[in-house]
């Protein structure tokens, strides 16, 4: 089988479920097994989820983000999409969704239409209608996928912390008392809105509608206004950010320190079991101080919005977040934190279960929730802050040092 796996950045060992964005990706239903298949034109191969304690027997696979994906060979399956039956050989791999890749589409002359589904490229007739999951269905599927891919001694622990795993998919009300303050000098900063091309405009409207529904932003009459900037993510979608450069120039600095990787990895001696945890929209889980909400206002072609939760791009946002997380794990010796990335390292599975439970208790107490597509529980090897973490220590990822080696 030639070459490494090329995925579109949304997929990985746990990422396949929760990264699905309704309206952007297409699912179709196999009428024989009733399973939903993700149609992914960025995936070189087609997959079915598989887990095994046996050594990997398939080809070496990597996601577009560089993460290794375990594979245990091939399996011939018969699936029925619409009224058509297909026989195809799938790779058995550690993914969360069944995936139809570019190999399947080329073989059967199929096109993926984000609105309608799978279309025959020769006749232009619809073969299988698209089946879009709701955000709640996607989030609950992510929980099930995370539990199923976790070692058995930890599965019941995950099931016990549904609030932390965030099966609803939305950010919950805040329980902690941390707020982000903007101490500024001088007059309010203002700007005109920037024009957006149709694709960015549609993405921006959808994002602000979602954030408004979740209580992250609200419509504003502020005298402050920073322009909207749309940042393209690796998966091709856009993240709306405020261009807060002018606001940041009049914001007093916070000198709270961020940890160094050398200090974090110094705590790993003697550890053999690791969990990597990531908070969902970490910054958005911290409220803005009421008197500073108006300063966060972003001007867009479709209105002025201000943030009730801490947005990306503000000066000192990282310091506020790190201060909260340091307080949260202050006496949890097995947990190290860099912003919203957490690593739990333990000498054995039994102690790892206790260490995870202590951290879950803290997260639940503070009302913080996880981003499951970036979490990995109870593994002998994890990737953390650009390093591979094992019982032997921390080594930089190959991709991280490739440019230096090439010099």
């Amino acid at each position: 089988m030639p070459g490494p796996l090329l995925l579109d950045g949304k997929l990985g060992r746990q990422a396949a479920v929760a990264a699905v964005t309704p309206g952007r990706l297409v699912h179709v239903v196999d009428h024989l097994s009733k399973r939903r298949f993700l149609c992914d034109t960025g995936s070189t191969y087609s997959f079915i989820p598989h887990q095994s304690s046996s050594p990997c027997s398939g080809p070496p696979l990597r996601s577009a983000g560089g993460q290794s994906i375990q594979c245990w060979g091939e399996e011939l399956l018969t699936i029925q999409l619409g009224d058509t039956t297909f026989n195809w050989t799938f790779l058995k791999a550690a993914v969360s969704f069944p995936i139809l890749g570019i190999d399947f589409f080329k073989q059967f002359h199929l096109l993926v239409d984000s609105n309608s589904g799978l279309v025959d490229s020769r006749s232009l007739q619809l073969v299988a209608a698209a089946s879009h999951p709701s955000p709640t269905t996607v989030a609950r599927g992510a929980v099930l996928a995370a539990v199923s891919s976790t070692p058995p001694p930890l599965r019941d622990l995950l099931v016990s912390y549904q609030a932390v795993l965030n099966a609803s998919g939305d950010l919950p009300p805040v329980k902690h008392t941390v707020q982000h303050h903007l101490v500024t000098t001088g007059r309010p900063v203002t700007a005109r809105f920037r024009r957006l091309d149709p694709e960015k405009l549609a993405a921006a409207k959808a994002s602000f509608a979602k954030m408004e529904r979740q209580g992250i932003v609200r419509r504003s009459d502020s005298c402050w206004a920073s322009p909207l900037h749309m940042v393209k993510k690796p998966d091709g979608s856009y993240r709306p950010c405020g261009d807060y450069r002018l606001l940041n120039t009049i914001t007093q600095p916070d000198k709270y320190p961020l940890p160094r990787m050398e200090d974090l990895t110094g705590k790993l001696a003697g550890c053999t079991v690791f969990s990597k945890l990531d908070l969902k929209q970490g910054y958005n889980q911290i409220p803005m101080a009421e008197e500073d909400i108006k300063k966060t206002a972003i001007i867009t072609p479709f209105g002025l919005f201000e943030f009730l939760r801490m947005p990306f791009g503000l000066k000192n946002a990282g310091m506020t977040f790190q201060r909260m997380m340091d307080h949260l794990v202050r006496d949890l010796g097995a947990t190290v934190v860099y912003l919203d990335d957490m690593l739990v390292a333990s000498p054995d599975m039994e102690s790892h279960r206790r260490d995870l439970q202590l951290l879950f208790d803290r997260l639940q107490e503070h009302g913080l929730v996880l981003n499951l597509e970036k979490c990995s529980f109870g593994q002998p090897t994890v990737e953390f802050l650009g390093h591979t973490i094992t019982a032997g220590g921390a080594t930089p990822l190959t991709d991280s040092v490739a440019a230096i080696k090439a010099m």
Side-chain angles (χ1 to χ4, degrees):
M1 189 168 293
L5 170 68
L6 300 177
L7 293 181
D8 66 354
K10 299 182 183 67
L11 303 178
R13 183 167 179 178
Q14 281 88 28
V17 175
V20 179
T21 305
R24 292 187 58 83
L25 297 183
V26 176
H27 287 75
V28 291
V29 175
D30 169 25
H31 296 297
L32 300 179
S33 67
K34 308 303 180 186
R35 291 191 294 186
R36 297 163 59 87
F37 281 76
L38 174 63
C39 299
D40 186 4
T41 57
S43 177
T44 306
Y45 307 119
S46 300
F47 299 90
I48 54 171
H50 187 79
Q51 288 291 335
S52 174
S53 58
S54 302
C56 294
S57 56
L61 305 174
R62 286 191 175 273
S63 69
Q67 296 176 321
S68 177
I69 299 177
Q70 295 175 294
C71 179
W72 291 272
E74 302 176 338
E75 183 173 341
L76 177 64
L77 292 180
T78 299
I79 62 175
Q80 181 182 340
L81 306 177
D83 296 326
T84 306
T85 300
F86 301 89
N87 295 311
W88 192 244
T89 300
F90 290 80
L91 291 180
K92 301 187 294 182
V95 295
S96 301
F97 265 171
I99 300 167
L100 296 178
I102 196 69
D103 57 342
F104 182 87
F105 304 135
K106 284 185 175 180
Q107 176 65 28
F108 298 109
H109 307 284
L110 298 173
L111 300 174
V112 180
D113 184 276
S114 60
N115 294 315
S116 58
L118 290 181
V119 176
D120 189 308
S121 63
R122 297 160 297 184
S123 66
L124 298 183
Q125 296 297 310
L126 182 65
V127 174
S131 174
H132 297 295
S134 69
T136 299
T137 299
V138 169
R140 287 176 178 169
V143 172
L144 293 175
V147 172
S148 64
S149 62
T150 297
L154 301 178
R155 290 179 183 176
D156 63 326
L157 180 64
L158 267 62
V159 172
S160 300
Y161 287 88
Q162 292 292 308
V164 174
L165 301 189
N166 191 34
S168 71
D170 289 336
L171 294 183
V174 173
K175 291 184 179 179
H176 60 80
T177 59
V178 178
Q179 294 182 333
H180 184 63
H181 296 266
L182 284 174
V183 182
T184 57
T185 58
R187 301 173 60 183
V189 297
T190 60
R192 295 181 177 180
F193 72 80
R194 297 171 181 168
R195 295 183 64 187
L196 300 174
D197 63 46
E199 182 184 9
K200 291 182 180 179
L201 181 62
K205 286 183 175 180
S207 294
F208 274 87
K210 180 179 179 180
M211 289 191 292
E212 191 173 9
R213 175 179 60 81
Q214 291 185 326
I216 296 172
V217 301
R218 68 186 179 195
R219 295 182 181 272
S220 175
D221 58 3
S222 174
C223 62
W224 299 70
S226 296
L228 171 64
H229 179 59
M230 299 297 289
V231 178
K232 196 165 189 176
K233 298 192 291 185
D235 62 10
S237 61
Y238 288 93
R239 174 185 290 118
C241 299
D243 183 349
Y244 287 121
R245 286 178 293 181
L246 281 178
L247 173 61
N248 290 341
T249 63
I250 63 170
T251 300
Q252 294 184 11
D254 180 351
K255 296 300 185 180
Y256 191 84
L258 298 179
R260 299 187 307 171
M261 185 65 188
E262 296 88 345
D263 298 329
L264 297 180
T265 56
K267 300 181 179 181
L268 303 180
C271 295
T272 64
V273 185
F274 307 95
S275 288
K276 178 182 67 174
L277 293 81
D278 183 89
L279 291 182
K280 181 180 179 67
Q281 299 169 233
Y283 280 20
N284 291 161
Q285 296 194 49
I286 295 181
M288 289 297 304
E290 182 64 34
E291 65 272 16
D292 295 320
I293 290 176
K294 61 182 180 293
K295 299 177 184 178
T296 69
I298 290 180
I299 189 166
T300 76
F302 47 90
L304 189 67
F305 297 84
E306 59 191 22
F307 279 82
L308 303 173
R309 307 280 189 103
M310 185 172 70
F312 295 98
L314 288 180
K315 188 174 184 176
N316 305 327
M319 290 70 182
T320 294
F321 197 91
Q322 187 68 41
R323 183 183 285 111
M324 179 188 74
M325 296 303 294
D326 284 348
H327 177 74
L328 184 139
V329 303
R330 61 193 181 280
D331 56 350
L332 303 183
T335 302
V336 296
V337 172
Y338 184 88
L339 296 176
D340 59 347
D341 292 311
M342 294 169 280
L343 177 68
V344 181
S346 312
D348 52 63
M349 187 63 74
E350 183 179 354
S351 58
H352 193 70
R353 178 187 169 87
R354 291 195 299 268
D355 294 332
L356 267 182
Q357 184 168 0
L358 289 172
L359 178 58
F360 284 165
D361 285 339
R362 294 289 174 83
L363 294 174
Q364 187 164 273
E365 177 186 349
H366 287 74
L368 301 175
V369 295
L370 296 176
N371 182 12
L372 281 180
E373 66 263 31
K374 294 184 179 180
C375 294
S376 182
F377 300 101
Q379 301 299 319
T381 301
V382 295
E383 294 180 1
F384 184 71
L385 300 181
H387 291 70
T388 299
I389 309 295
T390 68
T395 56
L397 296 177
T398 302
D399 293 346
S400 301
V401 298
I404 298 176
K405 288 184 175 180
M407 294 178 62

